Amino acid sequence: MTHRIGVVTFPGSLDDRDAQRAIRIAGAEPVALWHADHDLQGVDAIILPGGFSYGDYLRAGAIAARAPIMTEVISAANAGMPVLGICNGFQMLTEAHLLPGGLIRNEKGNFIRRDQGLIVESTDTAWSNAFTQGQEIVIPLKNGEGGFIASNEELDRLEGEGRVVFRYSGSNPNGSMRDIAGISNAAGNVVGLMPHPEHAVEPGFGPDTQNAMRSGTDGLGFFASALTALLAV
Amino acid sequence: MPKADLLDPQGKAVAGALSRLGHDTITDVRIGKRFELTVEGEVTEQVLADVATLADEIFSNQVIEDVTSIRVDEAQA
């Protein structure tokens, strides 16, 4: 049976089509979900894509986090369904209180776009089990408000519970506390990160590698992980 | 307002500009938001309590911001 992974489109989403494409390339069936519906169409997993939902008005992800479909997304996430928030989707997950902490404007105030090295810190999640602990992967990063912040107690809890899933390798691009690029909830089914795995899934269109230009496909591991997690259910 | 112990890159950029313009006595700038709400009828304790809840839960994100004040202004007749 082909697993069905939903991608929610909000007003201002940009990377919803790329996420759908990545799901297809990974061997699953993408399902377009709409922010104003109260219907998850029976999907097995959900991706909240990147972009600038509602023009980042109020706070990045804040209005989208209160969209009609988020009622169902939050229930599904709490029931254990794999949910991945990428960039603006990560911001939504923090605004919806599915993940702790928050994202603020980059330390230097500018928008950053570059191929970004990440260290996989935890493989114990629905979206990172295809990697090995300590593995370095490279996927694109592109954001203006990617500085992850949380209280020291919260950061200690995240570290202690192994919920820091990805950490920036090399120089910290946005002032994120403890170089955190992505985190998970306690159960490991909900993961949010600022960099974009869906832009590194197809040779010819990914980051440069030592082998060839634009040949990087490290993003595929995220989607392969979800399929493994779904098979285990 | 952004929490006092958090970096406010927006305010920092403005402070840098003021410094370049020679306003040396201004040492820091922090930038927050103000929401103006119009309500129908009288601003009762209940309305104020509702607004305070909205301020905490929607207008601000308590992880990164603080609500510093809620004020009632009478509408111009």
Side-chain angles (χ1 to χ4, degrees), chain A residues 108-120:
Chain A
K108 305 289 186 204
N110 45 8
F111 191 96
I112 307 234
R113 144 62 211 137
R114 71 187 196 197
D115 292 338
Q116 177 67 50
L118 302 176
I119 304 293
V120 180

Side-chain angles (χ1 to χ4, degrees), chain A residues 58-59 66 95 106 149, chain B residues 33 57-59 61 64:
Chain A
L58 189 58
R59 292 174 304 279
R66 280 111 182 146
E95 283 285 347
N106 293 346
I149 60 111
Chain B
K33 287 178 193 155
E57 293 181 359
I58 294 186
F59 301 151
N61 177 343
I64 56 180

